[in-house]
Each structure stands twice: as C-alpha cells, then as structure tokens.
Amino acid sequence: AQQLTYYVDGQINMQFPVVTGNTNRGRGTLSGVYNIYNKRHDTILRGENYASFVHFWLGVHKGVGIHDANWRDEFGGEIYKNDGSHGCINCPSDEAETLWNIAEVGTPTILFY
C-alpha cells in the first residue's frame, strides 16, 4: 500500500503514504524485520551519483532508512515502480519530523511489499 504505519502499545499512532525503492531499476526496498539503528538530523545522504540533504533520518539497515524527501510533491500509490528511491523510505516532511521525534533507536521496523 506504500504507507508507513507506526504503532504505540498495539494502537496506530501515525499512518501516512510513502515512496519506497524503484523496483523497475532493481532498487526495491529490502524486506524484513530490523531495528532503527541511528537517528541523524540535518545530514547528507550519499550514494553513487547523488547527494541528498535531509532533515530527519532514521537508519534501518545498512544505509537504508526512513527520511523526509522535500523534493517529492506526492507520496503513495505506484510512484515507487518508476520514480522510487534508491531503496530508502521517502516520507512527507511533516510526518518524517513527527516520526523522528517519537521513534527511538532500537524501535522494531517491519518492511514488506
């Protein structure tokens, strides 16, 4: 459904649309159960042929994270198939900030399609 759902004590606390990895370019977001391993504020994400500034980063697994993506105008749907990320979970800025403020290092994260 290309959405992020955040639970607190078994109840939905936040739910919003996201954009995951571009599957047509072989960059689909990994699936599995992980824990948030770090949080960074105002950082630059670097990869092959790109450098992107983000305000809110939650690292999930080996350089894959949940972060704001102010370069996107829309989220959700099937955007990920042709205009998805390099593997990260792109979020609207306001939601990314709220999530960054409440999620802690060690928070379990389940990623799936």
Side-chain angles (χ1 to χ4, degrees):
Q2 290 289 289
Q3 68 181 14
L4 185 147
T5 304
Y6 183 78
Y7 294 87
V8 175
D9 296 327
Q11 301 296 314
I12 295 175
N13 180 275
M14 296 181 70
Q15 190 169 52
F16 53 89
V18 297
V19 176
T20 60
N22 188 324
T23 54
N24 284 343
R25 291 191 179 159
R27 297 179 182 150
T29 301
L30 52 94
S31 294
V33 179
Y34 307 94
N35 294 312
I36 293 174
Y37 68 86
N38 74 350
K39 293 171 66 171
R40 294 188 304 200
H41 185 265
D42 291 343
T43 191
I44 297 175
L45 307 179
R46 297 183 192 282
E48 188 175 323
N49 301 318
Y50 75 91
S52 299
F53 177 83
V54 299
H55 291 288
F56 304 101
W57 163 267
L58 297 164
V60 176
H61 181 72
K62 296 183 178 180
V64 173
I66 303 166
H67 63 79
D68 56 303
N70 62 9
W71 53 88
R72 292 194 180 277
D73 293 327
E74 57 183 304
F75 297 84
E78 295 187 352
I79 297 168
Y80 73 100
K81 291 181 179 180
N82 295 305
D83 190 25
S85 71
H86 290 90
C88 286
I89 298 91
N90 291 181
C91 304
S93 295
D94 289 345
E95 284 84 351
E97 179 177 8
T98 300
L99 183 64
W100 192 88
N101 283 317
I102 60 176
E104 299 176 0
V105 170
T107 298
T109 307
I110 302 168
L111 304 174
F112 65 95
Y113 282 89

